[in-house]
């Protein structure tokens, strides 16, 4: 177990929903995860009930002041810690984009915090491949790619896989990858076809578990509750439990 970065350049595919509920599931299992919100939109922070965080207390301070991650971490649920985001993170590209060493700032900070092995770290990415997302990828041992079951998302996986290949070669590292269909609409035949095509095109890395499109998964962040607290007997909760089991069984979680 190490650092899992939840990444897809496509917006609205379920990155935050997946990070949020996986982190919650790990916390419930006593694994004391740390969730890092790497998106200026701060949706993960919001879903965890944390809002209007000043830059000096968010991930931004790591870049701006080199504040250690331990000082930016807060307890949000029993057993779950969060490094929150703030809107200031949207300035990172223009402020630090030309600094060649900047892409390793987060990985170094995670190592300094002693989080490389335990506890598990989950990083939620923004849909843009900028300085922040590169930091999240440079810190990752594992990359989880959530996607919707539609044609454009399928095409997107080819591009993501190619981008990760390039990054692996340039940085001499390996990313263990998993793809999960995080917005599976069982009412559409297309969903199953896309899922089958994904499995055929990317053998061995597509999760068997699909997260169904359900109302409770859409509603739970509004109540600042993970799916296990909000609707423990819902399909969404069952799907996330299965996903955790599957990812644990292959050593990804
Ligand atoms: N399985 C699901 N069922 C129902 N709604 C979902 C599901 N997954 C995600 N959603 C909803 O879809 C929207 C987008 O999801 P989410 O914010 O997790 O995506 P994202 O990839 O993090 O988006 P962004 O790229 O903007 O960061 C949210 O309103 C979320 O509640
Ligand atoms: Mg998001």
């Amino acid at each position: 177990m190490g650092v899992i970065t939840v990444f897809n350049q496509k917006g609205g595919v379920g990155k935050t929903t997946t990070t949020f509920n996986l982190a919650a599931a790990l916390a419930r299992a006593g694994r004391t995860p740390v969730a890092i919100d790497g998106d200026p939109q701060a949706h993960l922070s919001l879903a965890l009930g944390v809002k209007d965080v000043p830059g000096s207390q968010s991930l931004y301070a790591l870049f701006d002041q080199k504040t250690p991650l331990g000082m930016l971490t807060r307890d949000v649920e029993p057993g779950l810690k969060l490094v929150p985001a703030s809107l200031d993170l949207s300035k990172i590209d223009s402020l630090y984009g030309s600094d060649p060493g900047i892409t390793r700032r987060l990985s170094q900070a995670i190592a300094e915090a002693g989080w490389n092995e335990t506890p598990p770290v989950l990083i939620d990415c923004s849909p843009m491949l900028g300085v922040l997302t590169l930091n999240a990828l440079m810190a990752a041992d594992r990359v989880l790619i959530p996607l919707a079951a539609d044609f454009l998302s399928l095409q997107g996986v080819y591009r993501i896989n190619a981008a990760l290949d390039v990054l692996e070669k340039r940085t001499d590292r390996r990313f263990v990858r998993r793809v999960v269909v995080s917005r599976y609409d069982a009412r559409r035949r297309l969903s199953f076809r896309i899922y089958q095509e994904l499995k055929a095109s990317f053998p061995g890395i597509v999760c068997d578990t699909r997260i169904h499109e359900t109302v409770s998964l859409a509603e739970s962040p509004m109540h600042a509750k993970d799916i296990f607290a909000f609707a423990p007997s819902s399909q969404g909760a069952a799907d996330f439990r299965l996903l955790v089991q599957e990812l644990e069984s292959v050593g990804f979680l």
Side-chain angles (χ1 to χ4, degrees):
M1 180 78 215
V3 180
I4 298 172
T5 292
V6 183
F7 167 66
N8 189 331
Q9 282 165 270
K10 200 165 183 328
V13 292
K15 294 181 287 294
T16 302
T17 305
T18 302
T19 314
F20 179 35
N21 290 301
L22 282 186
L26 288 173
R28 279 167 187 263
R31 303 267 306 269
T32 60
V34 179
I36 299 180
D37 191 344
D39 184 351
Q41 298 180 102
H43 287 166
L44 180 64
S45 309
L46 263 180
L48 283 162
V50 176
K51 56 182 169 186
D52 302 328
V53 178
S56 59
Q57 291 168 32
S58 82
L59 183 62
Y60 179 71
L62 170 67
F63 292 89
D64 186 42
Q65 308 280 332
K66 296 199 177 163
T67 307
L69 286 176
M71 290 175 65
L72 302 173
T73 305
R74 48 179 88 193
D75 294 308
V76 278
E77 284 184 13
L80 174 55
K81 291 183 189 301
L82 169 74
V83 176
S86 66
L87 195 56
D88 309 68
L89 286 169
S90 55
K91 298 188 285 196
I92 296 261
D93 278 341
S94 57
L95 289 176
Y96 304 106
S98 56
D99 176 347
I102 199 69
T103 54
R104 293 191 186 269
R105 179 70 60 89
L106 183 57
S107 64
Q108 283 160 357
I110 288 173
E112 279 159 22
W115 295 345
N116 267 355
E117 294 305 324
T118 51
V121 176
L122 291 113
I123 309 176
D124 184 30
C125 290
S126 88
M128 290 189 333
L129 191 52
V131 168
L132 265 180
T133 301
L134 275 174
N135 264 274
L137 288 172
M138 293 301 288
D141 307 299
R142 290 147 215 213
V143 178
L144 182 62
I145 305 164
L147 81 170
D150 59 46
F151 176 71
L152 294 178
S153 293
L154 175 65
Q155 296 307 310
V157 181
Y158 288 97
R159 278 199 302 281
I160 293 167
N161 229 7
L164 292 177
D165 287 344
V166 170
L167 209 58
E168 274 184 343
K169 284 205 185 92
R170 285 209 190 138
T171 58
D172 194 24
R173 51 185 298 132
R174 252 187 52 66
F175 301 116
V176 179
R177 306 163 201 191
R178 278 281 179 289
V179 174
V180 59
V181 179
S182 47
R183 302 196 64 174
Y184 185 83
D185 187 347
R187 293 162 308 178
R188 292 162 65 204
R189 282 221 315 266
L190 177 70
S191 298
F192 189 63
R193 272 183 40 208
I194 297 281
Y195 170 69
Q196 280 181 313
E197 204 170 322
L198 262 174
K199 286 225 148 217
S201 306
F202 300 96
I205 69 165
V206 179
C207 294
D208 291 334
T209 307
R210 287 152 279 173
I211 308 296
H212 290 77
E213 185 84 27
T214 60
V215 174
S216 40
L217 277 172
E219 284 181 351
S220 73
M222 272 166 27
H223 302 272
K225 283 188 174 161
D226 61 67
I227 194 64
F228 310 107
F230 182 68
S233 24
S234 64
Q235 166 103 58
D239 287 348
F240 270 102
R241 279 189 202 101
L242 273 179
L243 182 62
V244 169
Q245 268 175 27
E246 181 179 349
L247 291 175
E248 282 180 339
S249 74
V250 295
F252 190 91
L253 263 186

